[in-house]
Amino acid sequence: MEDTTTLETPACWLLELDLELRIIGITESVPGGPRSPFENELPLGLSLLDAMNVHNARRAQLSARLDAGDEIKSFRYALNTEFHGRRCYDLSSVPLHDEGRLVGHRCCVVDITALLRMSELHNKSETTLESAFNAYPNFLIIKDIEGRYIRLNEAARELLANWTLDPIGRTPSECLPPKIAAQLSRDDNLVLRTEESRDIEHQILLEDGLHTFLTTKFPIFDRDHCIVGLGASGLDITGRKKLESELDRMANYDELTELPNRRHGRARLDEAVTWAQHIGGRVGFLIVDIDRFKTINDTLGHNVGDQLLIEAAWRLRACAEDGDTLMRLSGDEFGLIIGQHDRSRDLDWVVAAIIEAFEQPFLIEGHELFVGVNIGSAAYPGDADGPEQLLRCSDLALYAAKRSGLTYSRFDNEIRSSIHRSAQISGLLRKALQRREFILHYQPLVEASTREIVGAEALIRWNSHELGFVGPNHFIPIAEETGLIVPIGEWALEQACRDAAVWNRGAPRPLSVAVNISPKQLLTPGFHQSVVDALARTGLSPELLKIEITESSLASDVDTCRRIIDALREMGIVLALDDFGTGYSALSYLQRFKFDILKLDQSFVRKTERGTSGAALTAAIIQMAKSLGMRTVGEGVETDDHVDLLQESGCDLMQGYLFSRPVKHEDFLALAAGPLSAAA
């Protein structure tokens, strides 16, 4: 007698077919099972007919019905397998249409080997049948046409024992809780009415919590093909559903902030725009960038940085309303979909709320952190014609805000034109070096005590063949973004050294040249060598070269910057900290790095008036620099009052329009060679 204790779990497969009857999707009801209803274990891409190994007339019959778009209620076939013997399967199929056009099929393949085996066993012995029936590890239930339970296996009895000890002869409404009974009855009636098998998921509350069951319900026919009852076989898939839920969370949500990630957020944006298109509504989108996050993350550590992002997310949540979607786009960037954007709730109102929310400091691990935001916004329709363009326009608005030093920028035609011009400039910059369109102008550096010219700062200018004169404020940021600032900076460094070498041939006094170095150029591998090469090719003495470095250059990689600065000082090059007072950690840089010159930002000088706090602050900075062994330079000197106050405060050098605007190389030679009054 056959060993019925080894009967396997019933299984079914859901298939998706394209119009050519190729299998393009497959889902197993019992994942990881050892069987396949096809000859090939991985049938994706194969023809259903080939995978089923159906031949001759039956193949032609099945193919014709599928091609005609017929609904197939039952098509049985068998396979001889190497390890599991002969298996029997039942295939049902429904056509899939798109706007009335046949586009494919959805099929269900059920392994009926066990049921047929049960039937055979029943013919042999009722005892054997009962043994086989109870051997199923998953529950198996048979009801009569009235819905009364007439047979249960052991797994089914254990499940129903949660509510009743003896359901035999009773309907679900007579022995189960009303809510569960109503749900089961609806499913039973659907199967009996359609005479088709159904895969159904149920959620049932048991003593240990909510469980999910996957149940296959199927009609039972007599020999005349009349329905005489209903069968149900199922298994508890709670563990699998929890795993699917966790995988979904990992794929669609940011682990740190628990917000939708960029992928899921983009899907929400697509839905919001589709909704707006359908009802004629509007959608607003904001991109919020956390200011100073990288500096805080690098200086105080990733734990502080992570906590800052978590608390920032909570503040942004408080500014959102029901119907909005807040997401994390990247490291320190968040996105906010304003799903109900209308006149009563303008984007600017939301932006104001966000800016106000970030005015209060963050208290993290004993640190009081003042963190601002940069925000860019755009709206559909008006600024964009779809979700991708809406995201792009918001990003461009954010870029415009950062570039202009603003907290917030809303996308408009001016930004659109600016972006177009930036793209044009970016393309022409690549040709400018080859065409030799760049020139250097020099602004004299004057000794404060004597008003004698002792050097100059090199300032790059661009005379484009297509655009004419382009100011550095327009092309330098674009050169930084594209990386072109490195070759442009190398050219400027060598050209400045070459011009300074000319100045000092037979000059009555040494004339130094100061060259600004961009953050990207400073940290480029080989920068130190490029300085060595420039001095060697031009013959300029190292002590006549001043390299000016801004505070922002030092923030990204402190250790590398320290090594580079130390190496330049060993060569005898003069190092200057430029634009002092405009950054966030100016005093800490004076402790970490050894500079020869401190250049006061022109904003200090222009606000310096006798008897004001600005004058006192300027004097204090100059005295601090002297105590650290540094000389000071006052930039932006435009009046005699500026000169007097800087001299009284002990400033060593001055630079500004009062003495001279930036001039060409030849004109600077004339200024430096003339009487002192020429520079006054």
Side-chain angles (χ1 to χ4, degrees):
M1 182 178 293
E2 183 176 355
D3 182 7
T4 61
T5 62
T6 61
L7 292 178
E8 67 281 3
T9 302
C12 72
W13 294 260
L14 299 178
L15 311 178
E16 294 285 341
L17 308 183
D18 62 15
L19 201 56
E20 302 298 324
L21 305 185
R22 291 187 296 263
I23 300 173
I24 60 174
I26 181 168
T27 303
E28 299 179 67
S29 67
V30 186
R35 304 174 306 282
S36 169
F38 311 110
E39 280 202 325
N40 193 313
E41 289 291 333
L42 298 172
L44 286 176
L46 295 181
S47 165
L48 173 69
L49 303 178
D50 292 336
M52 292 169 59
N53 197 22
V54 178
H55 299 287
N56 302 327
R58 299 192 75 232
R59 178 188 179 103
Q61 178 189 15
L62 178 59
S63 177
R65 293 187 65 187
L66 290 172
D67 290 339
D70 291 343
E71 180 179 347
I72 299 174
K73 293 184 177 180
S74 177
F75 183 92
R76 293 188 177 185
Y77 68 97
L79 286 177
N80 292 315
T81 65
E82 182 178 355
F83 298 105
H84 303 287
R86 184 176 178 80
R87 310 295 304 178
C88 297
Y89 303 94
D90 185 78
L91 178 142
S92 58
S93 174
V94 294
L96 299 177
H97 295 90
D98 184 5
E99 298 182 352
R101 183 172 56 88
L102 181 67
V103 295
H105 305 269
R106 181 175 290 119
C107 305
C108 176
V109 179
V110 180
D111 186 345
I112 61 172
T113 307
L115 292 177
L116 294 177
R117 185 177 297 161
M118 285 178 58
S119 178
E120 293 173 2
L121 291 174
H122 178 75
N123 293 333
K124 293 180 180 179
S125 169
E126 181 68 26
T127 302
T128 303
L129 176 61
E130 190 67 26
S131 177
F133 193 78
N134 285 315
Y136 278 97
N138 303 312
F139 69 78
L140 187 59
I141 297 171
I142 296 178
K143 301 177 184 178
D144 65 17
I145 194 65
E146 302 297 333
R148 291 183 290 264
Y149 293 102
I150 59 175
R151 179 160 293 184
L152 311 172
N153 71 348
E154 290 300 324
R157 289 182 182 277
E158 290 180 8
L159 174 61
L160 295 178
N162 285 276
W163 306 283
T164 178
L165 295 178
D166 187 15
I168 298 298
R170 292 190 283 178
T171 64
S173 61
E174 294 172 331
C175 59
L176 298 178
K179 186 175 181 179
I180 296 176
Q183 183 180 8
L184 296 179
S185 296
R186 283 195 301 270
D187 297 335
D188 290 351
N189 291 334
L190 180 62
V191 172
L192 294 174
R193 186 173 65 253
T194 60
E195 299 185 3
E196 293 179 348
S197 298
R198 298 276 175 173
D199 285 332
I200 304 166
E201 281 191 13
H202 291 126
Q203 285 194 323
I204 299 177
L205 183 63
L206 302 180
E207 289 184 357
D208 59 345
L210 192 65
H211 285 244
T212 303
F213 292 88
L214 177 62
T215 303
T216 300
K217 293 195 172 186
F218 50 90
I220 298 175
F221 300 92
D222 62 12
R223 293 184 179 180
D224 297 324
H225 202 71
C226 294
I227 296 180
V228 295
L230 180 141
S233 175
L235 67 158
D236 188 338
I237 61 170
T238 305
R240 190 181 83 186
K241 297 298 288 185
K242 288 181 178 178
L243 177 60
E244 290 175 354
S245 177
E246 179 64 17
L247 292 175
D248 177 74
R249 187 191 66 79
M250 293 172 63
N252 293 296
Y253 289 85
D254 173 55
E255 183 176 2
L256 181 66
T257 63
E258 298 183 351
L259 294 173
N261 58 19
R262 187 182 188 93
R263 173 178 175 272
H264 190 39
R266 172 56 198 273
R268 295 269 189 95
L269 184 61
D270 290 349
E271 293 171 0
V273 171
T274 301
W275 165 84
Q277 291 171 339
H278 180 67
I279 68 167
R282 302 177 69 193
V283 178
F285 189 70
L286 308 179
I287 298 181
V288 182
D289 178 82
I290 307 300
D291 195 21
R292 294 187 58 216
F293 173 74
K294 187 177 188 307
T295 299
I296 292 171
N297 200 49
D298 291 344
T299 56
L300 299 181
H302 294 296
N303 289 337
V304 173
D306 287 350
Q307 192 61 38
L308 174 60
L309 289 175
I310 292 171
E311 295 193 20
W314 278 110
R315 294 193 186 186
L316 290 171
R317 280 189 182 98
C319 300
E321 294 186 358
D322 293 341
D324 297 345
T325 297
L326 178 65
M327 67 194 77
R328 186 181 179 193
L329 295 174
S330 61
D332 60 351
E333 279 191 357
F334 295 85
L336 180 60
I337 303 172
I338 312 297
Q340 302 295 329
H341 176 50
D342 54 29
R343 292 182 180 178
S344 65
R345 185 172 178 241
D346 193 79
L347 285 177
D348 294 342
W349 182 90
V350 182
V351 168
I354 293 173
I355 293 173
E356 183 179 357
F358 279 78
E359 288 178 351
Q360 297 300 316
F362 291 81
L363 302 177
I364 301 174
E365 295 186 6
H367 301 283
E368 186 178 49
L369 305 174
F370 287 88
V371 176
V373 290
N374 295 113
I375 305 173
S377 75
Y380 168 89
D383 300 327
D385 58 10
E388 181 65 32
Q389 193 176 13
L390 182 57
L391 186 64
R392 174 64 176 159
C393 289
S394 299
D395 196 37
L396 292 174
L398 174 65
Y399 168 76
K402 288 183 174 181
R403 188 172 173 185
S404 303
L406 302 175
T407 299
Y408 170 52
S409 181
R410 188 168 183 170
F411 188 82
D412 55 21
N413 288 331
E414 185 178 345
I415 292 178
R416 194 188 305 273
S417 299
S418 175
I419 297 304
H420 174 74
R421 180 170 173 81
S422 295
Q424 185 182 25
I425 289 175
S426 176
L428 293 175
L429 272 176
R430 300 179 185 277
K431 304 175 183 177
L433 272 176
Q434 299 174 351
R435 296 175 173 180
R436 298 183 179 181
E437 294 179 348
F438 292 112
I439 57 174
L440 292 181
H441 285 190
Y442 297 93
Q443 186 170 39
L445 191 64
V446 177
E447 188 76 40
S449 59
T450 64
R451 296 202 180 189
E452 184 178 61
I453 295 177
V454 294
E457 179 181 0
L459 301 169
I460 193 167
R461 299 292 184 262
W462 179 24
N463 188 12
S464 169
H465 177 73
E466 291 84 0
L467 304 176
F469 178 79
V470 183
N473 289 341
H474 290 96
F475 73 84
I476 291 295
I478 298 173
E480 286 274 6
E481 294 168 14
T482 60
L484 292 172
I485 193 66
V486 175
I488 292 174
E490 290 176 350
W491 172 86
L493 173 65
E494 184 164 336
Q495 186 61 44
C497 290
R498 181 171 289 107
D499 289 344
V502 173
W503 305 341
N504 285 280
R505 292 173 188 165
R509 58 188 179 277
L511 295 172
S512 64
V513 64
V515 181
N516 292 282
I517 301 299
S518 76
K520 190 165 291 186
Q521 184 182 2
L522 180 68
L523 294 174
T524 299
F527 168 69
H528 173 263
Q529 187 60 46
S530 70
V531 177
V532 173
D533 294 342
L535 292 172
R537 283 193 287 263
T538 62
L540 182 68
S541 298
E543 62 272 12
L544 295 179
L545 174 62
K546 295 177 182 177
I547 288 184
E548 297 186 355
I549 300 171
T550 60
E551 295 177 38
S552 60
S553 300
L554 307 174
S556 56
D557 191 337
V558 172
D559 292 336
T560 301
C561 288
R562 183 184 291 111
R563 287 194 298 270
I564 294 172
I565 289 173
D566 290 345
L568 295 174
R569 284 180 58 81
E570 288 179 6
M571 294 172 57
I573 294 171
V574 179
L575 276 298
L577 180 59
D578 197 12
D579 298 335
F580 181 81
T582 59
Y584 299 105
S585 305
L587 293 177
S588 67
Y589 293 137
L590 297 182
Q591 293 176 322
R592 296 183 185 185
F593 302 95
K594 180 63 176 175
F595 287 98
D596 303 292
I597 293 175
L598 185 147
K599 297 191 71 174
L600 285 169
D601 185 67
Q602 57 187 350
S603 61
F604 277 97
V605 176
R606 290 173 180 170
K607 294 178 182 178
T608 299
E609 295 181 7
R610 196 176 303 278
T612 64
S613 59
L617 180 59
T618 300
I621 293 174
I622 291 172
Q623 292 306 312
M624 177 190 64
K626 285 184 177 297
S627 67
L628 294 174
M630 290 186 288
R631 303 190 78 197
T632 53
V633 177
E635 295 184 286
V637 177
E638 297 180 352
T639 68
D640 289 329
D641 287 340
H642 290 160
V643 173
D644 293 340
L645 285 170
L646 288 173
Q647 285 180 329
E648 291 171 10
S649 300
C651 185
D652 301 293
L653 303 164
M654 291 182 286
Q655 175 182 344
Y657 282 4
L658 179 65
F659 307 109
S660 174
R661 291 176 175 272
V663 296
K664 295 181 180 180
H665 164 62
E666 299 81 4
D667 296 331
F668 174 76
L669 272 176
L671 281 176
L676 297 183
S677 59

